[in-house]
Amino acid sequence: MKLKRVINVGCAILLLHSAGSANAQVVKPSKSNKALDAGQCSSQAPINLNLTVILDRAMQCSPDLAAYRLEHQLAIADRVIAEQRPNPNITLGADSINPHPSQSPQGTKKVDSSVRIDQLIELGGKAKYRANAATAAELASQYFLKYAERAVLVSIEQIFYDGLGAQQKEKDLFDIVEMNKNVLDAAKIRYKVGDISEIDLNKIKLDIARANNEYQLAKSDLARAKAGLAKALGYGKNIHKSLLIADWPNHELALPAIPWDKIDSRADLQALKSRTLSAENSRDLARALKVPDVTVGLQYNHLPVTGSVQNGTINTYMVNLSIPLFIRHQYQGEAMRAEAEYYRARDNQWRGERDAVAQLEYQEAELQANQERLNRVLVDVLPSAEQVAAAAEFAYKKGAIGVLDFIDARRSLRQARTEASQTRADFAKGLSAFKLAIEVDDK
């Protein structure tokens, strides 16, 4: 019965001290914290891959996006940890244990018992600063996740455009390789009848060999681009059988305008601001460490009957206050580190905002140049090269031009087609990156 009374008293004291933590939250795992599901992300790539299919796949199965989302879950967990208050400690004790009470001069006394509760109380606003720092860090992580999701999609778009460019280049060179077979046959016929010399025939063979080498390089570039897509999207090796469906942006449309007055609300810049705010609160927390925390203890002692029954049972209480002595240090190192972390975060914010403006100006100028270059290639250069090459082939078969003029016309055609596919890819990738750079949060 005595032991039961001791336990009851201890539980009552524990409930009394726990009443101040009634606002504690039970945190459930976030539904957005999802690892990659092999069942949902099949390694089998579809036969036709367009940009919409690729971006939908990326949102569900991109390993990079999954890693960023898990990083955000860690930030949420850090915030929950920072908002938690220290738990009280309960101590149950027994002393003066007498296994043979009949042989003791104190008569019926068997054991003295005690219940003690200690609670750490943080002073100087440490709890507030720690919670504020973690909340700001979580907000920074949320902004960065939003930007990172878009950035990952842009990088996958650019890989897709590289693949489209390589695929078009491979197709163009394949057509030239097939045309070269007829050219070589015509050259051999002219050589047999004495219209051209053996040197001219060898020059044509050399040009054809160069075209074949360029075709093999184009196939290698396409395989590399598809391998990059497979890695970014979690596809297997069967992606080399997939056909990339042309989905180029319209190069004739006007470029989007830069919202200069809203650039500061871009997600990555908002993340830098929140990191600075988190570092500022961490600095205040480090400064608050100079204020010592106290530990308050409450102890209940139960002393059973000793000697005669008339002496009764003795119950006593004890209150303790524990304060650390800052004799060897006062957390100067923590304060210095937090100060440096704050200034580093602030400088990163300022540099990010300044570089964002300069980078936007450069991206806009480069994108305009690529758009003008693409228009010239598609409107002037490529059609002219096609006409010149067709006319040169016809004239060469009729013996109207020499072999050098013919080879030069065909080399110009290869260069024009390669330039067209490369310029189209450069413009598409630049436009995708530019849209990311001017995307702002209107909320």
Side-chain angles (χ1 to χ4, degrees), residues 16 19 49 51 55 72 78 88 109 137 177 269 290 369 425:
L16 180 63
L49 280 174
L51 189 58
L55 296 182
H72 180 56
D78 290 340
K109 178 179 180 180
V177 168
L269 300 182
K290 297 180 180 179

Side-chain angles (χ1 to χ4, degrees), residues 90-315:
I90 184 171
T91 304
L92 302 178
D95 60 82
S96 300
I97 300 175
N98 183 10
H100 305 289
S102 61
Q103 301 177 9
S104 173
Q106 296 179 346
T108 60
K109 178 179 180 180
K110 294 183 180 181
V111 61
D112 295 339
S113 57
S114 63
V115 178
R116 179 186 178 92
I117 287 184
D118 294 285
Q119 176 65 58
L120 175 66
I121 300 176
E122 294 181 309
L123 303 178
K126 298 184 186 68
K128 179 185 69 174
Y129 295 137
R130 183 167 55 248
N132 290 344
T135 301
E138 180 191 357
L139 183 59
S141 175
Q142 182 178 344
Y143 278 123
F144 181 75
L145 175 62
K146 180 179 179 180
Y147 180 80
E149 286 181 342
R150 186 71 184 93
V152 168
L153 295 181
V154 167
S155 66
I156 293 176
E157 282 184 19
Q158 294 180 338
I159 297 174
F160 173 74
Y161 289 138
D162 280 335
L164 273 183
Q167 182 175 266
Q168 184 62 45
K169 181 179 178 181
E170 183 205 31
K171 180 180 179 300
D172 293 338
L173 289 173
F174 176 78
D175 293 340
I176 290 178
V177 168
E178 291 298 315
M179 291 169 54
N180 284 340
K181 296 178 181 179
N182 297 329
V183 171
L184 183 59
D185 291 339
K188 288 180 178 179
I189 293 175
R190 291 190 61 186
Y191 171 71
K192 289 180 180 179
V193 300
D195 287 345
I196 62 173
S197 65
E198 184 178 0
I199 294 178
D200 290 340
L201 179 62
N202 290 334
K203 288 180 180 179
I204 293 176
K205 290 181 179 180
L206 177 60
D207 186 67
I208 291 175
R210 288 174 177 172
N212 290 336
N213 288 339
E214 292 178 9
Y215 172 63
Q216 296 300 323
L217 288 176
K219 291 175 62 177
S220 176
D221 292 340
L222 178 59
R224 186 184 303 110
K226 287 185 175 181
L229 277 177
K231 181 179 179 181
L233 301 175
Y235 283 133
K237 62 180 181 180
N238 69 305
I239 195 174
H240 73 276
K241 300 179 181 179
S242 300
L243 176 66
L244 304 182
I245 305 301
D247 194 2
W248 298 107
N250 191 344
H251 60 278
E252 297 178 351
L253 297 178
L255 299 180
I258 300 177
W260 291 109
D261 56 332
K262 297 180 180 179
I263 289 300
D264 289 344
S265 61
R266 208 170 68 180
D268 60 325
L269 300 182
Q270 289 289 341
L272 292 177
K273 292 179 182 179
S274 296
R275 286 172 181 170
T276 302
L277 180 59
S278 176
E280 183 178 1
N281 281 278
S282 296
R283 180 182 64 173
D284 293 336
L285 174 61
R287 292 174 177 176
L289 293 175
K290 297 180 180 179
V291 180
D293 299 332
V294 298
T295 302
V296 178
L298 175 62
Q299 181 171 327
Y300 165 77
N301 301 307
H302 176 71
L303 309 178
V305 175
T306 58
S308 63
V309 179
Q310 288 77 9
N311 290 336
T313 299
I314 301 175
N315 297 323

Side-chain angles (χ1 to χ4, degrees), residues 34-61:
K34 296 181 180 179
L36 291 180
D37 188 350
Q40 295 179 354
C41 300
S42 173
S43 62
Q44 187 75 20
I47 297 300
N48 295 322
L49 280 174
N50 57 36
L51 189 58
T52 301
V53 171
I54 285 177
L55 296 182
D56 289 342
R57 167 83 178 193
M59 289 299 296
Q60 297 179 2
C61 305

Side-chain angles (χ1 to χ4, degrees), residues 385-412:
E386 297 280 0
Q387 293 175 2
V388 170
E393 182 176 357
F394 178 79
Y396 179 73
K397 290 180 179 179
K398 300 299 182 180
I401 61 173
V403 67
L404 292 179
D405 294 333
F406 174 65
I407 292 176
D408 184 65
R410 294 185 56 78
R411 186 179 297 117
S412 297

